[in-house]
Amino acid sequence: MNSYIVAIVGRPNVGKSTLFNRLLGYQKAIVDNVSGVTRDRQYGIADWNGKSFHVIDTGGFVKQSDDIFEKEIAKQVLIAIDEADCILFTVDVATGLTSMDESIAKMLYKFSKKIIVVVNKVDNGDRLLLASEFYGLGFDHLISLSSISGSGTGELLDEIARGIPAEQEEIAPAGIPKFAIIGQPNVGKSSFLNVLIGEERSIVSNVAGTTRDSIFTKYNLYQKEFILIDTAGIRKKKNMDNDLEYYSVIRAVKAMDESDILLLMVDATLSVTHQDLTLYQMAIKKGKGIVVLVNKWDLIEKTTNTAKEMEDAIKKRLAPFSDVPIVFISTLEKTRIFKAIEVALEVFANQQLKVSTKVLNEFVKECTQQYQAPVYRGHSIKIKFITQLPTRVISFALFCNYPEGVKPAYQQYLENQFRKKFPLTGIPFRLFFRKNSSD
């Protein structure tokens, strides 16, 4: 997907979080009619007409003093501008144009980013007429909508999509794997890179969050060539003590977008945390290849079955997608560092899988003979044809008479069979059920 970032800015209680949820298509931000509910920034991924982009909700704190309050808003907006490609300047038609709206607009005039004025809470004809007041802010793009009902959001998404480039510039020649090292701060990402390349390319310290920007390093030794991306450490939003660290998360997300394989590094002393799972699920949604690196293995007291027991526990946490390689490493003792790269290269090879239509159809025929799809409304579901789609993420289209009748349990069965048949370890792939044109 494109590393295109859209930031929602504006004064409190104009409906930024509601708009954020509407663009993402699900309830993520807490929404209330009390100003200042969004105290942590929210970010997510939105899709529209085949294009994907990141959305940031820049909610601010509510302060008693107007001066302090405006300072907080100004800080939020300036940081959002620095990272975003497009700004959704959100205003409220119900309260009309305010002095705070005008103050934010004056700041936005200084920057060359694309700015769309989003007039929210326009849910009737009278309010549509009132929305014209906001043309006085002086921006070219103005869209009236109701984020609660969804009216007008299609027009906004169309305007956002028009600004998203079809393709991003490649950071490496085609065919050279790109590995992004991701994980929470202080798990050893920079140490891993330094051990691998044999030099102090990244600053290493025991202070969480040292790496602010993504660092790209080309590796070309021992007949192996790839790009390593060391990303800023990612931690829970409630633990982010400054705005720069929050936006380093966005830089890390962008690095994930530019990579082929994600090396998710976790701390052996903590195992897989909730935040690790969040990163893992984000990687799955992006369709990236995944390798789990369990660092600080030297700190674990071991018995004969320790590694197997921990691997089983990790895969249980990662379920339902648990077909990923897990490598136990120690950057301190420099153990299994090159093994981790060898495994990542194997996952990259899996990512290049191409299966002929003939082989696929013979395979699916065997699957359906072994376990037929459940009956749908009195009709047998028959998969008549399958082909691999020419997409970046490995995807297969299965044509059948009742695609809407294929239940998740049967989809899971087919996915399991695919994984048994083809080399797909570490690779999220997609099955699309489509209506057979002859039915």
PDB file of all heavy atoms in Angstrom, residues 25 40 42 53 63 75 106 108 124-125 127 254 264 278 281 287 296 305 307 329 344 369 372 377 382 405 431 433:
ATOM      1  N   GLY A  25     -14.104   2.858   8.855  1.00  0.00           N
ATOM      2  CA  GLY A  25     -15.181   1.899   8.646  1.00  0.00           C
ATOM      3  C   GLY A  25     -15.503   1.063   9.859  1.00  0.00           C
ATOM      4  O   GLY A  25     -16.267   0.111   9.780  1.00  0.00           O
ATOM      5  N   ASP A  40      -5.395  10.544  23.536  1.00  0.00           N
ATOM      6  CA  ASP A  40      -4.311   9.873  22.827  1.00  0.00           C
ATOM      7  C   ASP A  40      -4.603   9.961  21.340  1.00  0.00           C
ATOM      8  O   ASP A  40      -5.751   9.905  20.926  1.00  0.00           O
ATOM      9  CB  ASP A  40      -4.237   8.388  23.226  1.00  0.00           C
ATOM     10  CG  ASP A  40      -3.812   8.220  24.668  1.00  0.00           C
ATOM     11  OD1 ASP A  40      -2.860   8.892  25.083  1.00  0.00           O
ATOM     12  OD2 ASP A  40      -4.451   7.423  25.367  1.00  0.00           O
ATOM     13  N   GLN A  42      -5.006   8.654  17.644  1.00  0.00           N
ATOM     14  CA  GLN A  42      -5.438   7.391  17.062  1.00  0.00           C
ATOM     15  C   GLN A  42      -4.900   7.313  15.640  1.00  0.00           C
ATOM     16  O   GLN A  42      -4.807   8.329  14.950  1.00  0.00           O
ATOM     17  CB  GLN A  42      -6.965   7.311  17.041  1.00  0.00           C
ATOM     18  CG  GLN A  42      -7.624   7.362  18.401  1.00  0.00           C
ATOM     19  CD  GLN A  42      -7.617   5.993  19.074  1.00  0.00           C
ATOM     20  OE1 GLN A  42      -7.414   4.974  18.416  1.00  0.00           O
ATOM     21  NE2 GLN A  42      -7.850   5.970  20.362  1.00  0.00           N
ATOM     22  N   PHE A  53      -4.610   4.238   2.676  1.00  0.00           N
ATOM     23  CA  PHE A  53      -3.871   5.338   3.272  1.00  0.00           C
ATOM     24  C   PHE A  53      -4.020   5.289   4.780  1.00  0.00           C
ATOM     25  O   PHE A  53      -4.943   4.674   5.319  1.00  0.00           O
ATOM     26  CB  PHE A  53      -4.343   6.697   2.730  1.00  0.00           C
ATOM     27  CG  PHE A  53      -5.816   6.957   2.874  1.00  0.00           C
ATOM     28  CD1 PHE A  53      -6.318   7.646   3.978  1.00  0.00           C
ATOM     29  CD2 PHE A  53      -6.710   6.522   1.910  1.00  0.00           C
ATOM     30  CE1 PHE A  53      -7.675   7.885   4.117  1.00  0.00           C
ATOM     31  CE2 PHE A  53      -8.071   6.758   2.038  1.00  0.00           C
ATOM     32  CZ  PHE A  53      -8.554   7.439   3.144  1.00  0.00           C
ATOM     33  N   LYS A  63      -8.091  22.415  28.067  1.00  0.00           N
ATOM     34  CA  LYS A  63      -7.470  23.249  29.100  1.00  0.00           C
ATOM     35  C   LYS A  63      -8.440  24.358  29.493  1.00  0.00           C
ATOM     36  O   LYS A  63      -9.259  24.798  28.693  1.00  0.00           O
ATOM     37  CB  LYS A  63      -6.170  23.874  28.581  1.00  0.00           C
ATOM     38  CG  LYS A  63      -5.132  22.847  28.114  1.00  0.00           C
ATOM     39  CD  LYS A  63      -4.537  22.083  29.269  1.00  0.00           C
ATOM     40  CE  LYS A  63      -3.416  21.170  28.798  1.00  0.00           C
ATOM     41  NZ  LYS A  63      -2.821  20.399  29.867  1.00  0.00           N
ATOM     42  N   LYS A  75       0.399  23.060  18.555  1.00  0.00           N
ATOM     43  CA  LYS A  75       1.436  22.030  18.569  1.00  0.00           C
ATOM     44  C   LYS A  75       0.975  20.782  17.834  1.00  0.00           C
ATOM     45  O   LYS A  75       1.710  20.183  17.049  1.00  0.00           O
ATOM     46  CB  LYS A  75       1.815  21.691  20.015  1.00  0.00           C
ATOM     47  CG  LYS A  75       2.990  20.731  20.134  1.00  0.00           C
ATOM     48  CD  LYS A  75       3.465  20.608  21.561  1.00  0.00           C
ATOM     49  CE  LYS A  75       2.417  19.993  22.462  1.00  0.00           C
ATOM     50  NZ  LYS A  75       2.958  19.715  23.813  1.00  0.00           N
ATOM     51  N   LYS A 106      -4.744  30.146   9.869  1.00  0.00           N
ATOM     52  CA  LYS A 106      -3.565  30.987   9.673  1.00  0.00           C
ATOM     53  C   LYS A 106      -2.282  30.161   9.721  1.00  0.00           C
ATOM     54  O   LYS A 106      -1.325  30.428   8.991  1.00  0.00           O
ATOM     55  CB  LYS A 106      -3.529  32.088  10.734  1.00  0.00           C
ATOM     56  CG  LYS A 106      -4.578  33.182  10.514  1.00  0.00           C
ATOM     57  CD  LYS A 106      -4.524  34.230  11.622  1.00  0.00           C
ATOM     58  CE  LYS A 106      -5.598  35.288  11.412  1.00  0.00           C
ATOM     59  NZ  LYS A 106      -5.603  36.305  12.516  1.00  0.00           N
ATOM     60  N   LEU A 108      -2.106  26.985   8.888  1.00  0.00           N
ATOM     61  CA  LEU A 108      -2.099  26.116   7.717  1.00  0.00           C
ATOM     62  C   LEU A 108      -1.691  26.861   6.451  1.00  0.00           C
ATOM     63  O   LEU A 108      -1.167  26.248   5.513  1.00  0.00           O
ATOM     64  CB  LEU A 108      -3.485  25.493   7.533  1.00  0.00           C
ATOM     65  CG  LEU A 108      -3.926  24.505   8.616  1.00  0.00           C
ATOM     66  CD1 LEU A 108      -5.354  24.044   8.378  1.00  0.00           C
ATOM     67  CD2 LEU A 108      -2.995  23.303   8.678  1.00  0.00           C
ATOM     68  N   ASN A 124     -28.712  18.505   6.827  1.00  0.00           N
ATOM     69  CA  ASN A 124     -29.959  18.958   6.193  1.00  0.00           C
ATOM     70  C   ASN A 124     -29.647  20.114   5.245  1.00  0.00           C
ATOM     71  O   ASN A 124     -28.524  20.647   5.217  1.00  0.00           O
ATOM     72  CB  ASN A 124     -31.002  19.369   7.238  1.00  0.00           C
ATOM     73  CG  ASN A 124     -30.509  20.473   8.163  1.00  0.00           C
ATOM     74  OD1 ASN A 124     -30.034  21.508   7.712  1.00  0.00           O
ATOM     75  ND2 ASN A 124     -30.621  20.237   9.484  1.00  0.00           N
ATOM     76  N   GLY A 125     -30.646  20.513   4.468  1.00  0.00           N
ATOM     77  CA  GLY A 125     -30.451  21.546   3.465  1.00  0.00           C
ATOM     78  C   GLY A 125     -30.072  22.890   4.045  1.00  0.00           C
ATOM     79  O   GLY A 125     -29.254  23.623   3.468  1.00  0.00           O
ATOM     80  N   ARG A 127     -28.363  23.506   6.775  1.00  0.00           N
ATOM     81  CA  ARG A 127     -26.964  23.491   7.195  1.00  0.00           C
ATOM     82  C   ARG A 127     -26.017  23.481   5.992  1.00  0.00           C
ATOM     83  O   ARG A 127     -24.893  23.961   6.076  1.00  0.00           O
ATOM     84  CB  ARG A 127     -26.692  22.290   8.100  1.00  0.00           C
ATOM     85  CG  ARG A 127     -27.310  22.454   9.487  1.00  0.00           C
ATOM     86  CD  ARG A 127     -26.869  21.356  10.440  1.00  0.00           C
ATOM     87  NE  ARG A 127     -27.240  21.693  11.826  1.00  0.00           N
ATOM     88  CZ  ARG A 127     -26.890  20.998  12.891  1.00  0.00           C
ATOM     89  NH1 ARG A 127     -26.139  19.905  12.744  1.00  0.00           N
ATOM     90  NH2 ARG A 127     -27.264  21.370  14.096  1.00  0.00           N
ATOM     91  N   LYS A 254       5.259   3.692   7.989  1.00  0.00           N
ATOM     92  CA  LYS A 254       5.643   3.923   6.596  1.00  0.00           C
ATOM     93  C   LYS A 254       6.747   2.960   6.173  1.00  0.00           C
ATOM     94  O   LYS A 254       6.755   2.452   5.042  1.00  0.00           O
ATOM     95  CB  LYS A 254       6.093   5.369   6.415  1.00  0.00           C
ATOM     96  CG  LYS A 254       4.961   6.381   6.593  1.00  0.00           C
ATOM     97  CD  LYS A 254       5.458   7.806   6.572  1.00  0.00           C
ATOM     98  CE  LYS A 254       5.857   8.254   5.194  1.00  0.00           C
ATOM     99  NZ  LYS A 254       6.168   9.695   5.145  1.00  0.00           N
ATOM    100  N   LEU A 264       9.423  -9.134  13.271  1.00  0.00           N
ATOM    101  CA  LEU A 264       8.798  -8.666  14.512  1.00  0.00           C
ATOM    102  C   LEU A 264       9.617  -9.174  15.684  1.00  0.00           C
ATOM    103  O   LEU A 264       9.624 -10.368  15.981  1.00  0.00           O
ATOM    104  CB  LEU A 264       7.359  -9.167  14.594  1.00  0.00           C
ATOM    105  CG  LEU A 264       6.619  -8.877  15.915  1.00  0.00           C
ATOM    106  CD1 LEU A 264       6.584  -7.384  16.214  1.00  0.00           C
ATOM    107  CD2 LEU A 264       5.210  -9.458  15.887  1.00  0.00           C
ATOM    108  N   THR A 278      -0.786  -6.197  18.327  1.00  0.00           N
ATOM    109  CA  THR A 278      -1.288  -5.114  17.493  1.00  0.00           C
ATOM    110  C   THR A 278      -0.419  -4.949  16.252  1.00  0.00           C
ATOM    111  O   THR A 278      -0.925  -4.818  15.129  1.00  0.00           O
ATOM    112  CB  THR A 278      -1.322  -3.798  18.289  1.00  0.00           C
ATOM    113  OG1 THR A 278      -2.205  -3.950  19.404  1.00  0.00           O
ATOM    114  CG2 THR A 278      -1.806  -2.642  17.419  1.00  0.00           C
ATOM    115  N   GLN A 281      -1.018  -7.965  13.907  1.00  0.00           N
ATOM    116  CA  GLN A 281      -2.266  -7.867  13.169  1.00  0.00           C
ATOM    117  C   GLN A 281      -2.186  -6.810  12.076  1.00  0.00           C
ATOM    118  O   GLN A 281      -2.764  -6.960  10.996  1.00  0.00           O
ATOM    119  CB  GLN A 281      -3.409  -7.576  14.137  1.00  0.00           C
ATOM    120  CG  GLN A 281      -3.740  -8.768  15.030  1.00  0.00           C
ATOM    121  CD  GLN A 281      -4.477  -8.387  16.296  1.00  0.00           C
ATOM    122  OE1 GLN A 281      -4.810  -7.226  16.515  1.00  0.00           O
ATOM    123  NE2 GLN A 281      -4.720  -9.370  17.150  1.00  0.00           N
ATOM    124  N   GLY A 287      -0.636  -7.550   4.545  1.00  0.00           N
ATOM    125  CA  GLY A 287      -0.244  -8.664   3.690  1.00  0.00           C
ATOM    126  C   GLY A 287       1.255  -8.881   3.623  1.00  0.00           C
ATOM    127  O   GLY A 287       1.778  -9.405   2.629  1.00  0.00           O
ATOM    128  N   LYS A 296      16.857 -11.657  23.433  1.00  0.00           N
ATOM    129  CA  LYS A 296      17.250 -11.780  24.849  1.00  0.00           C
ATOM    130  C   LYS A 296      17.039 -13.216  25.351  1.00  0.00           C
ATOM    131  O   LYS A 296      16.728 -13.446  26.516  1.00  0.00           O
ATOM    132  CB  LYS A 296      16.472 -10.785  25.720  1.00  0.00           C
ATOM    133  CG  LYS A 296      16.600  -9.338  25.244  1.00  0.00           C
ATOM    134  CD  LYS A 296      15.897  -8.357  26.157  1.00  0.00           C
ATOM    135  CE  LYS A 296      15.969  -6.939  25.595  1.00  0.00           C
ATOM    136  NZ  LYS A 296      15.280  -5.957  26.452  1.00  0.00           N
ATOM    137  N   ASN A 305      12.946 -28.667  27.020  1.00  0.00           N
ATOM    138  CA  ASN A 305      11.794 -28.315  26.184  1.00  0.00           C
ATOM    139  C   ASN A 305      11.432 -26.826  26.229  1.00  0.00           C
ATOM    140  O   ASN A 305      10.349 -26.451  25.774  1.00  0.00           O
ATOM    141  CB  ASN A 305      10.576 -29.138  26.618  1.00  0.00           C
ATOM    142  CG  ASN A 305      10.787 -30.631  26.431  1.00  0.00           C
ATOM    143  OD1 ASN A 305      11.354 -31.050  25.415  1.00  0.00           O
ATOM    144  ND2 ASN A 305      10.347 -31.426  27.393  1.00  0.00           N
ATOM    145  N   ALA A 307      12.441 -24.114  24.588  1.00  0.00           N
ATOM    146  CA  ALA A 307      12.206 -23.471  23.295  1.00  0.00           C
ATOM    147  C   ALA A 307      10.889 -23.941  22.677  1.00  0.00           C
ATOM    148  O   ALA A 307      10.102 -23.133  22.175  1.00  0.00           O
ATOM    149  CB  ALA A 307      13.371 -23.743  22.348  1.00  0.00           C
ATOM    150  N   ILE A 329      16.829 -15.668  19.383  1.00  0.00           N
ATOM    151  CA  ILE A 329      18.129 -15.040  19.148  1.00  0.00           C
ATOM    152  C   ILE A 329      18.623 -14.319  20.407  1.00  0.00           C
ATOM    153  O   ILE A 329      17.861 -14.080  21.349  1.00  0.00           O
ATOM    154  CB  ILE A 329      18.060 -14.027  17.979  1.00  0.00           C
ATOM    155  CG1 ILE A 329      17.196 -12.826  18.382  1.00  0.00           C
ATOM    156  CG2 ILE A 329      17.554 -14.670  16.709  1.00  0.00           C
ATOM    157  CD1 ILE A 329      17.255 -11.669  17.386  1.00  0.00           C
ATOM    158  N   ALA A 344      14.239 -15.327   7.043  1.00  0.00           N
ATOM    159  CA  ALA A 344      13.548 -14.219   6.380  1.00  0.00           C
ATOM    160  C   ALA A 344      13.637 -14.350   4.860  1.00  0.00           C
ATOM    161  O   ALA A 344      12.670 -14.070   4.144  1.00  0.00           O
ATOM    162  CB  ALA A 344      14.134 -12.890   6.838  1.00  0.00           C
ATOM    163  N   GLN A 369     -13.584 -32.732  -2.435  1.00  0.00           N
ATOM    164  CA  GLN A 369     -13.967 -34.145  -2.334  1.00  0.00           C
ATOM    165  C   GLN A 369     -13.744 -34.652  -0.914  1.00  0.00           C
ATOM    166  O   GLN A 369     -14.517 -35.463  -0.407  1.00  0.00           O
ATOM    167  CB  GLN A 369     -13.162 -34.977  -3.336  1.00  0.00           C
ATOM    168  CG  GLN A 369     -13.601 -34.785  -4.788  1.00  0.00           C
ATOM    169  CD  GLN A 369     -12.721 -35.547  -5.766  1.00  0.00           C
ATOM    170  OE1 GLN A 369     -11.615 -35.993  -5.414  1.00  0.00           O
ATOM    171  NE2 GLN A 369     -13.205 -35.700  -6.984  1.00  0.00           N
ATOM    172  N   GLN A 372     -16.801 -31.399   1.672  1.00  0.00           N
ATOM    173  CA  GLN A 372     -17.672 -30.530   0.883  1.00  0.00           C
ATOM    174  C   GLN A 372     -18.139 -29.333   1.700  1.00  0.00           C
ATOM    175  O   GLN A 372     -18.312 -29.422   2.914  1.00  0.00           O
ATOM    176  CB  GLN A 372     -18.884 -31.316   0.373  1.00  0.00           C
ATOM    177  CG  GLN A 372     -18.531 -32.384  -0.658  1.00  0.00           C
ATOM    178  CD  GLN A 372     -19.775 -33.049  -1.232  1.00  0.00           C
ATOM    179  OE1 GLN A 372     -20.876 -32.883  -0.713  1.00  0.00           O
ATOM    180  NE2 GLN A 372     -19.592 -33.806  -2.293  1.00  0.00           N
ATOM    181  N   ARG A 377     -28.949 -22.602   1.902  1.00  0.00           N
ATOM    182  CA  ARG A 377     -30.359 -22.432   1.514  1.00  0.00           C
ATOM    183  C   ARG A 377     -30.856 -23.593   0.655  1.00  0.00           C
ATOM    184  O   ARG A 377     -31.541 -23.419  -0.349  1.00  0.00           O
ATOM    185  CB  ARG A 377     -30.553 -21.110   0.758  1.00  0.00           C
ATOM    186  CG  ARG A 377     -30.314 -19.885   1.624  1.00  0.00           C
ATOM    187  CD  ARG A 377     -30.571 -18.613   0.861  1.00  0.00           C
ATOM    188  NE  ARG A 377     -30.373 -17.436   1.715  1.00  0.00           N
ATOM    189  CZ  ARG A 377     -30.488 -16.185   1.299  1.00  0.00           C
ATOM    190  NH1 ARG A 377     -30.780 -15.937   0.017  1.00  0.00           N
ATOM    191  NH2 ARG A 377     -30.302 -15.172   2.141  1.00  0.00           N
ATOM    192  N   LYS A 382     -20.786 -25.300  -4.970  1.00  0.00           N
ATOM    193  CA  LYS A 382     -19.826 -25.943  -5.861  1.00  0.00           C
ATOM    194  C   LYS A 382     -18.793 -24.933  -6.338  1.00  0.00           C
ATOM    195  O   LYS A 382     -19.135 -23.927  -6.969  1.00  0.00           O
ATOM    196  CB  LYS A 382     -20.562 -26.543  -7.057  1.00  0.00           C
ATOM    197  CG  LYS A 382     -21.546 -27.639  -6.669  1.00  0.00           C
ATOM    198  CD  LYS A 382     -22.252 -28.211  -7.891  1.00  0.00           C
ATOM    199  CE  LYS A 382     -23.236 -29.308  -7.491  1.00  0.00           C
ATOM    200  NZ  LYS A 382     -23.954 -29.850  -8.674  1.00  0.00           N
ATOM    201  N   GLY A 405     -22.497 -17.895   0.511  1.00  0.00           N
ATOM    202  CA  GLY A 405     -22.814 -19.003   1.401  1.00  0.00           C
ATOM    203  C   GLY A 405     -21.590 -19.708   1.970  1.00  0.00           C
ATOM    204  O   GLY A 405     -21.730 -20.622   2.801  1.00  0.00           O
ATOM    205  N   LEU A 431      -8.193 -15.373   0.107  1.00  0.00           N
ATOM    206  CA  LEU A 431      -9.115 -16.144  -0.739  1.00  0.00           C
ATOM    207  C   LEU A 431     -10.338 -15.279  -1.013  1.00  0.00           C
ATOM    208  O   LEU A 431     -10.976 -14.782  -0.083  1.00  0.00           O
ATOM    209  CB  LEU A 431      -9.536 -17.436  -0.041  1.00  0.00           C
ATOM    210  CG  LEU A 431      -8.422 -18.436   0.315  1.00  0.00           C
ATOM    211  CD1 LEU A 431      -9.015 -19.637   1.037  1.00  0.00           C
ATOM    212  CD2 LEU A 431      -7.658 -18.887  -0.921  1.00  0.00           C
ATOM    213  N   PHE A 433     -14.034 -15.287  -2.861  1.00  0.00           N
ATOM    214  CA  PHE A 433     -15.087 -16.128  -3.444  1.00  0.00           C
ATOM    215  C   PHE A 433     -15.974 -15.262  -4.319  1.00  0.00           C
ATOM    216  O   PHE A 433     -16.553 -14.261  -3.867  1.00  0.00           O
ATOM    217  CB  PHE A 433     -15.888 -16.823  -2.352  1.00  0.00           C
ATOM    218  CG  PHE A 433     -15.084 -17.827  -1.582  1.00  0.00           C
ATOM    219  CD1 PHE A 433     -14.305 -17.446  -0.496  1.00  0.00           C
ATOM    220  CD2 PHE A 433     -15.049 -19.156  -1.972  1.00  0.00           C
ATOM    221  CE1 PHE A 433     -13.543 -18.357   0.196  1.00  0.00           C
ATOM    222  CE2 PHE A 433     -14.299 -20.097  -1.278  1.00  0.00           C
ATOM    223  CZ  PHE A 433     -13.529 -19.691  -0.192  1.00  0.00           C
TER     224      PHE A 433
END
